[in-house]
């Protein structure tokens, strides 16, 4: 311990004498450690931490599997049958989310609600910290409406009052009693703030209506493989019993954490590998600096070795010195990582799972500390490894003559530069592929124009019709079982005063927004493209259950297509003749027309899409519009059926799109005032259509920005590395260069001598880097769009760019060498 304290005091004095070296080394390592800690914090929060629920390894997500192998959401009858027949699942629950308006707290609010079946909280293993969860009596149709709310909502609406007995709020026309408050941090699923019993609403009977998510808890001691076999057996039984009525052929059980992470897992692991490359580049740079210092102190080290210092004793001295570099770098890196995590989350918040659990915490700081200690140890061993291979006696003689370098030292420094160039090239090629991929992605036409439009999101009052839903269920069952359509099909059209008021509100709101100055078009839709929301299902062609199709289902008003600038290709849009009591009309997308009526005119064709909204009246196709990339620029066009929102039952969630001549964002106050003039208790949120479009690119932009930044930092460090090596080489060869010039060497000869040495190192690194890039880029194929992982142009241009930069970094010290005065050089030691 005494020896260690002596080493630390000596190291401190040494670094005080070389503040420039210490500052450069600390900053270089801080960049690498900060980036590594930031990415580790995200990977830790998303991938490594267990879910914050009891026994999270027993939680699984259930999905239906189609005959093509694709996974789908679950139809409610299939969920009910699985819950009844499964012997390997302790509890099963379904859930679905949406936005609702609530009135009755401190102020009106628009919150995210999740409709959950009775066993939901039992499945999750979490109980309210205040109050209770649903009882079996409350989880049935006709029960008194009750709700469990989230911790944040409890604080906002009820001031965190500990007595919640008698607390109520209103959703549309129904009053709900608060019976429980969930503990802080519980917001499953999808950042829910309120949970309502799904059983309050009528059940669904369609086995092709994939409207629900299902989560389950494995039975004690049950393996995932056994549960999967059990679920698959149930699926096969149901398929045999229901035939064509059920379009699923199997059930999939996925660990809940794996399901929540989804495709983000692979991208984060790739990024973690990239940050490891960056850290190696930074460490190589610092190792070069340390080798330069070790060479300058060669006389001191060889004397100490001659006096009996062992290699381990010398290594301890170097490690002690490196601690004064690595620990400040760790502290600075921790600060940088805190900012970095905030920046990275802002880049991809919409697509990042478990974002609330990400942060630079004690685990991240422990990782940073451990990483910095490892760096200090490794970098402390490198000079000793070089010293151990030198002949001690010749070292003392050389140092006495002022020879400060050895071939081993130069070879190791050159090797580090080659490694830097190789790692940098791999990062730059990955960044180049992502940039080209992102450019290709932006060339795709989304099918609408995002500029100069603002979106107002709100939840219209929702009026349920249990009797109408029962009639629909009976009629739909008759249709799919017997293939006979009812003579008087159930209708979901407006038939009571409450629904008429809702329809009138919707019409008046569209009209008032359309009259605002500068507005050129306005319309509404229940699921905005690229917003992450979707609603799709099976429809019958001509009301024939044997002729089915599959499409997205959207409710729109006539002005929506003009507001989005979606072109009309054939027929017409909805007009004043399409009233609630008129035969329902539909507009379809071009891809749907081409798929189901490739050689026919789709105008006048009729389809039945009742399982989406409970209205079994046939839709008559009156027009065809352009396709929209509804699920993002990197997906194909989705066949879509647009029904008229004034003819079909209303969705509670509505997005109103207003297009203006210029400055669409300035419409926000006027649009909010238009809503307030009709209903002052209706909360709204606003965003531009460009923001919606941009957020759909978050996940790809996230990877692009990280690789681009890492590549730029690695390039800077590599350039500094090769510049430092060449500058040092010029300094060591000053006498040799002076002699060459004295003997008649020209400026060009000296330039070529130095530049050639730098280019050889660069080209060796580029060659190794190309081989590594061929292997590494294959792993990131899933992050690319429209670009091969071995894109020839990228693999040619990036190495040429790196070679040019290396040439420039070598040219600067070469120019200095060419200006050496022979007389000064001959006196140089």
């Amino acid at each position: 311990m005494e020896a260690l304290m002596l080493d630390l005091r000596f190291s401190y004095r040494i670094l005080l004498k070389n503040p420039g070296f210490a500052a450069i080394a600390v900053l270089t390592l801080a960049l690498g450690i900060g980036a590594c800690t930031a990415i580790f914090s995200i990977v830790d929060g998303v991938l490594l931490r267990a879910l914050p629920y009891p026994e999270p390894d027993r939680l699984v997500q259930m999905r239906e599997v189609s005959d093509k192998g694709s996974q789908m959401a679950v139809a409610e009858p299939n969920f009910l049958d699985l819950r009844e027949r499964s012997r390997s699942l302790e509890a099963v629950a379904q859930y679905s989310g949406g936005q609702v308006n609530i009135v009755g707290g401190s102020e009106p609010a628009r919150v995210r609600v999740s409709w959950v079946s009775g066993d939901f909280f039992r499945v999750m293993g979490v109980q309210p910290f205040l109050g209770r969860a649903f009882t079996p009596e409350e989880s049935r149709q006709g029960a008194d409406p009750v709700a469990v709310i989230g911790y944040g909502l409890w604080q906002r609406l009820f001031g965190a009052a500990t007595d919640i007995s008698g607390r109520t709020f209103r959703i549309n026309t129904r009053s709900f009693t608060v019976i429980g408050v969930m503990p802080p941090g519980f917001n499953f699923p999808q950042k829910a703030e309120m949970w309502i019993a799904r059983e309050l609403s009528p059940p669904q009977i369609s086995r092709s209506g994939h409207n629900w998510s299902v989560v389950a808890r494995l039975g004690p001691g049950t393996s995932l493989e056994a549960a999967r076999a059990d679920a698959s057996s149930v699926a096969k039984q149901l398929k045999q019993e229901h035939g064509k009525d059920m379009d699923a052929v199997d059930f999939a059980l996925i660990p809940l954490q794996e399901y929540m992470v989804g495709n983000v897992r692979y991208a984060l692991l790739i990024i973690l590998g990239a940050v490891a490359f960056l850290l190696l580049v930074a460490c190589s740079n610092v190792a070069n600096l340390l080798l330069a210092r070790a060479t300058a102190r060669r006389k001191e080290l060889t004397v100490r070795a001659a006096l009996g210092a062992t290699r381990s004793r010398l290594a301890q001295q170097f490690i002690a010195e490196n601690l004064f570099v690595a620990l400040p770098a760790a502290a600075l890196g921790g600060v940088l990582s805190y900012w970095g995590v905030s920046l990275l989350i802002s880049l991809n918040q919409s697509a990042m799972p478990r974002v609330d659990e990400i942060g630079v915490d004690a685990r991240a700081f422990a990782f940073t500390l451990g990483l910095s200690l490892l760096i200090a140890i490794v970098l402390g061993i490198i000079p000793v490894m070089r010293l151990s291979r030198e002949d001690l006696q010749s070292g003392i003689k050389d140092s006495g003559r002022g020879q400060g370098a050895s071939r081993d030292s130069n070879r190791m420094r050159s090797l580090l530069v080659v490694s830097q160039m190789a790692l940098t090239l791999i990062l730059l090629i990955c960044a180049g592929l992502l940039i080209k991929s992102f450019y290709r992605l932006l060339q795709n036409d989304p099918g609408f124009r995002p500029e100069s439009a603002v979106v107002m999101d709100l939840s219209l009052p929702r009026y349920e019709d249990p009797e109408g839903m029962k009639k629909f269920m009976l009629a739909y069952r008759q249709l799919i079982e017997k293939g006979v359509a009812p003579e008087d099909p159930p209708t979901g059209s407006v038939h009571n005063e409450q629904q008429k008021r809702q329809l009138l509100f919707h019409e008046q709101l569209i009209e008032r927004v359309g009259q605002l100055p500068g507005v050129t078009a306005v319309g509404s839709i229940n699921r905005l493209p690229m917003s992450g929301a979707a609603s799709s299902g099976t429809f019958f062609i001509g009301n024939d259950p044997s002729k089915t199709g599959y499409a997205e289902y959207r409710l729109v008003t006539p002005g929506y297509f003009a507001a989005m600038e979606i072109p009309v290709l054939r027929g017409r849009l909805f007009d004043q003749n399409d009233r609630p009591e008129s035969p329902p009309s539909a507009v379809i997308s071009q891809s749907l027309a081409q798929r189901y009526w490739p050689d026919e005119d789709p105008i006048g064709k009729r389809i039945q899409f009742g399982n989406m909204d409970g209205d079994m009246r046939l839709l008559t196709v009156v027009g065809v519009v352009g396709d929209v990339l509804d699920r993002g620029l990197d997906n194909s066009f989705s066949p879509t059926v647009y029904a008229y929102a004034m003819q079909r039952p209303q969705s509670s969630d509505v997005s109103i799109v207003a297009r203006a001549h210029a400055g669409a964002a300035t419409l926000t106050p006027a649009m909010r005032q238009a809503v307030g003039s009709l209903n002052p208790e209706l909360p709204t949120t606003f965003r531009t259509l460009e923001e919606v479009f941009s957020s759909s690119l978050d996940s790809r932009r996230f990877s692009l920005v990280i690789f681009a930044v890492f590549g730029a930092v690695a390039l800077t460090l590599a350039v500094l590395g090769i510049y430092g090596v060449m500058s040092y080489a010029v300094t060591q060869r000053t006498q040799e260069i002076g002699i060459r010039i004295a003997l008649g060497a020209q400026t060009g000869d000296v330039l070529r001598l130095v530049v050639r040495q730098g280019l050889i190192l660069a080209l060796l690194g580029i060659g190794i880097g190309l081989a590594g890039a061929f292997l590494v880029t294959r792993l990131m194929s899933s992050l690319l769009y429209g670009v091969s992982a071995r894109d020839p142009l990228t693999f040619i241009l990036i190495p040429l760019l790196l070679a040019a930069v290396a040439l420039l970094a070598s040219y600067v010290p070469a120019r200095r060498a060419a200006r050496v005065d022979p007389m000064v050089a001959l006196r140089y030691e």
Side-chain angles (χ1 to χ4, degrees):
M1 180 60 69
E2 182 179 355
L4 177 60
M5 295 304 298
L6 288 174
D7 287 340
L8 290 173
R9 284 196 293 268
F10 179 73
S11 301
Y12 179 70
R13 291 196 301 270
I14 288 290
L15 288 177
L16 281 182
K17 294 180 180 179
N18 298 273
F21 160 80
I24 293 173
V26 167
L27 289 174
T28 301
L29 281 182
L31 285 173
I33 291 175
C36 210
T37 303
I39 298 300
F40 171 81
S41 298
I42 294 176
V43 171
D44 183 47
V46 176
L47 302 183
L48 303 182
R49 288 177 185 266
L51 294 175
Y53 313 122
E55 298 182 278
D57 55 315
R58 292 173 57 195
L59 291 173
V60 294
Q61 186 83 13
M62 172 189 159
R63 301 280 286 173
E64 292 189 5
V65 182
S66 71
D67 55 358
K68 297 180 179 179
S70 59
Q71 294 184 359
M72 308 175 288
V74 180
E76 185 167 54
N78 296 337
F79 153 72
L80 295 173
D81 285 335
L82 176 75
R83 184 177 66 178
E84 179 69 23
R85 302 185 188 190
S86 174
R87 297 293 177 264
S88 60
L89 301 177
E90 180 180 287
V92 189
Q94 64 179 355
Y95 62 89
S96 180
Q99 299 276 353
V100 297
N101 303 322
I102 63 173
V103 179
S106 58
E107 59 181 14
R110 187 167 184 256
V111 303
R112 184 162 189 85
V113 64
S114 187
W115 291 273
V116 299
S117 58
D119 276 349
F120 176 77
F121 294 110
R122 179 185 169 202
V123 170
M124 302 309 298
V126 179
Q127 292 299 313
F129 90 101
L130 189 64
R132 59 177 175 81
F134 307 124
T135 64
E137 291 73 23
E138 291 165 339
S139 298
R140 58 179 176 81
Q141 196 170 349
D144 293 333
V146 295
V148 176
I149 63 175
Y151 187 85
L153 188 62
W154 170 61
Q155 290 183 312
R156 295 202 312 272
L157 294 188
F158 302 120
T162 55
D163 182 11
I164 60 172
S165 58
R167 297 278 184 173
T168 63
F169 58 83
R170 192 175 75 253
I171 299 178
N172 301 325
T173 60
R174 303 182 73 177
S175 180
F176 286 77
T177 301
V178 177
I179 60 171
V181 179
M182 296 305 292
F186 183 83
N187 57 8
F188 183 87
Q190 301 171 338
K191 300 182 180 180
E193 297 181 280
M194 180 189 304
W195 296 265
I196 295 175
R198 183 270 172 278
E199 290 85 357
L200 294 177
S201 301
Q204 300 172 357
I205 66 166
S206 171
R207 292 185 183 271
S208 62
H210 306 284
N211 302 319
W212 294 92
S213 298
V214 173
V215 65
R217 179 173 288 272
L218 301 181
T222 302
S223 68
L224 180 60
E225 290 71 22
R228 283 172 170 166
D230 181 30
S232 183
S233 175
V234 172
K236 289 177 173 59
Q237 294 172 17
L238 295 177
K239 183 64 176 176
Q240 186 175 7
E241 293 171 11
H242 300 283
K244 293 182 179 180
D245 298 344
M246 178 176 168
D247 54 3
V249 297
D250 200 357
F251 295 152
L253 295 182
I254 309 161
L256 183 60
Q257 182 168 1
E258 179 182 327
Y259 175 78
M260 291 176 64
V261 171
N263 295 330
V264 174
R265 171 190 296 273
Y266 194 71
L268 286 180
L269 292 178
I270 293 292
I271 291 170
L272 187 62
V275 78
F277 280 13
L278 177 63
L279 183 63
L280 288 175
V281 172
C283 289
S284 297
N285 231 24
V286 175
N288 256 326
L289 292 174
L290 292 173
L291 282 175
R293 289 186 69 246
T295 302
R297 296 168 58 189
R298 189 160 173 262
K299 182 177 180 179
E300 169 203 334
L301 298 176
T302 51
V303 168
R304 293 182 64 175
L307 294 176
T310 63
R311 279 181 289 173
S312 59
R313 185 69 182 82
L314 293 175
Q316 179 178 307
Q317 173 62 49
F318 277 109
I319 290 172
E321 293 181 21
N322 292 340
L323 285 175
F324 282 100
V325 173
L327 292 180
L332 180 57
V335 175
L336 294 176
S337 69
Y338 181 82
W339 293 335
V341 166
S342 300
L343 175 62
L344 293 175
I345 290 177
S346 67
L347 285 174
N348 197 29
Q349 186 163 3
S350 61
M352 183 76 71
R354 306 181 66 185
V355 68
D356 296 336
E357 300 176 50
I358 298 173
V360 183
D361 54 11
R363 287 164 61 102
F365 280 115
F367 170 82
T368 303
L369 181 61
L371 186 63
S372 61
L373 292 176
L374 178 64
I375 290 172
I377 293 171
V378 172
L379 294 183
I381 293 173
I382 290 176
V384 177
M385 289 172 58
R386 177 192 61 81
L387 183 66
S388 67
R389 292 195 298 269
E390 295 180 325
D391 179 75
L392 181 61
Q393 185 175 0
S394 62
I396 296 175
K397 293 178 179 179
D398 290 343
S399 61
R401 293 193 299 266
Q403 305 297 321
S406 71
R407 290 182 179 180
D408 279 346
S409 176
N410 289 333
R411 277 198 296 268
M412 184 167 287
R413 297 194 69 198
S414 298
L415 179 61
L416 289 171
V417 169
V418 170
S419 302
Q420 279 184 308
M421 297 297 290
L423 294 170
T424 299
L425 181 66
I426 293 174
L427 285 176
L428 289 176
I429 286 179
C430 291
L433 290 173
L434 289 172
I435 290 172
K436 189 172 182 179
S437 174
F438 197 73
Y439 174 77
R440 288 277 178 86
L441 195 66
L442 292 177
Q443 302 310 301
N444 289 343
D445 182 5
F448 62 90
R449 191 169 71 88
E451 300 83 12
S452 304
V454 65
V455 179
M456 177 172 63
D457 297 309
L458 67 157
S459 296
L460 296 174
R462 183 173 183 170
Y463 303 102
E464 297 182 356
D465 180 18
E467 291 302 318
M469 183 58 67
K470 288 180 181 178
K471 292 179 181 178
F472 163 75
M473 294 301 178
L474 293 173
Y476 190 79
R477 184 183 298 276
Q478 180 184 25
L479 176 62
I480 61 177
E481 288 180 354
K482 301 179 180 180
V484 178
E487 294 181 2
D488 184 20
T491 171
S493 60
V494 175
H495 67 277
N496 61 43
E497 290 302 318
Q498 291 179 332
Q499 289 177 319
K500 287 180 180 178
R501 286 198 298 271
Q502 178 192 25
L503 175 61
L504 180 61
F505 174 86
H506 197 179
E507 288 181 322
Q508 289 179 336
L509 181 57
I510 294 290
E511 181 181 355
R512 294 194 182 190
V513 173
Q515 293 172 350
L516 295 177
V519 173
T520 59
V522 60
S524 71
I525 187 171
N526 64 326
R527 297 285 189 272
L528 197 68
M530 298 187 177
S531 63
S535 180
S536 59
T538 300
F539 61 86
F540 300 148
I541 299 174
N543 214 24
D544 184 351
S546 66
K547 298 178 181 178
T548 62
Y550 195 87
E552 302 288 332
Y553 182 74
R554 300 290 182 268
L555 297 172
V556 301
T557 57
Y560 170 76
F561 301 103
M564 296 288 287
E565 294 198 359
I566 299 173
V568 181
L569 304 179
R570 184 178 296 179
R572 66 173 177 86
L573 301 177
F574 308 115
D575 57 29
Q576 66 275 8
N577 295 320
D578 298 307
R579 302 303 303 166
E581 63 277 2
S582 304
S585 301
V587 173
I588 62 174
S589 66
Q590 183 180 21
S591 59
L592 188 142
Q594 292 173 344
R595 177 175 299 183
Y596 297 106
W597 298 287
D599 301 317
E600 302 177 65
D601 185 356
I603 304 300
K605 299 295 183 181
R606 305 177 78 189
I607 61 176
Q608 198 264 89
F609 224 149
N611 65 323
M612 295 302 296
D613 57 17
D615 191 339
M616 289 190 66
R617 294 178 299 168
L618 295 181
L619 291 164
T620 301
V621 177
V622 299
V624 179
V625 296
D627 283 310
V628 171
L629 291 173
D630 189 84
R631 298 174 184 268
L633 290 178
D634 51 355
N635 283 277
S636 58
F637 292 119
S638 300
T640 306
V641 173
Y642 298 95
Y644 187 18
M646 302 303 173
Q647 290 183 321
R648 308 293 281 199
Q650 298 299 299
S651 168
S652 60
D653 295 337
V654 172
S655 295
I656 294 179
V657 183
R659 183 167 295 278
H661 289 296
T666 60
L667 290 174
T668 298
M671 292 177 70
R672 183 178 285 112
Q673 185 177 3
V675 175
S677 65
L678 294 172
N679 186 344
E681 293 185 341
L682 194 63
T684 55
T685 56
F686 291 85
R687 48 189 173 154
T688 65
L689 195 55
E690 287 181 298
E691 289 173 340
V692 175
F693 176 79
S694 178
S695 64
S696 70
L697 300 171
D698 279 353
S699 58
R700 292 191 176 274
R701 188 186 296 110
F702 177 73
S703 300
L704 169 62
V705 170
I706 288 177
F707 271 94
V709 171
F710 286 1
V713 173
L715 178 61
T716 302
L717 294 176
V719 168
L720 291 176
I722 197 167
Y723 172 81
V725 166
M726 298 317 301
S727 295
Y728 188 77
V730 167
T731 301
Q732 295 300 315
R733 299 176 66 180
T734 299
Q735 285 185 332
E736 174 196 339
I737 293 171
I739 293 173
R740 288 176 179 271
I741 294 175
L743 294 176
Q746 301 299 311
T747 300
D749 298 327
V750 177
L751 284 173
R752 282 191 294 273
L753 175 69
V754 178
V755 169
R756 181 170 62 248
Q757 182 181 355
L759 275 181
I760 289 173
L761 296 179
L763 292 176
L764 282 173
I766 289 173
I768 297 172
L770 279 172
F774 269 106
L775 297 175
V776 171
T777 53
R778 292 180 60 185
L779 301 176
M780 59 181 296
S781 298
S782 62
L783 303 182
L784 303 178
Y785 175 85
V787 177
S788 167
R790 295 181 176 179
D791 179 59
L793 189 61
T794 304
F795 273 80
I796 291 173
L797 291 182
I798 297 297
L800 289 177
L801 171 65
L802 188 58
V805 173
L807 177 63
L808 180 62
S810 302
Y811 179 76
V812 175
R815 286 288 299 172
R816 190 173 74 244
R819 295 173 180 172
V820 168
D821 185 334
M823 297 304 297
V824 174
L826 291 174
R827 293 195 300 267
Y828 180 81
E829 286 188 4

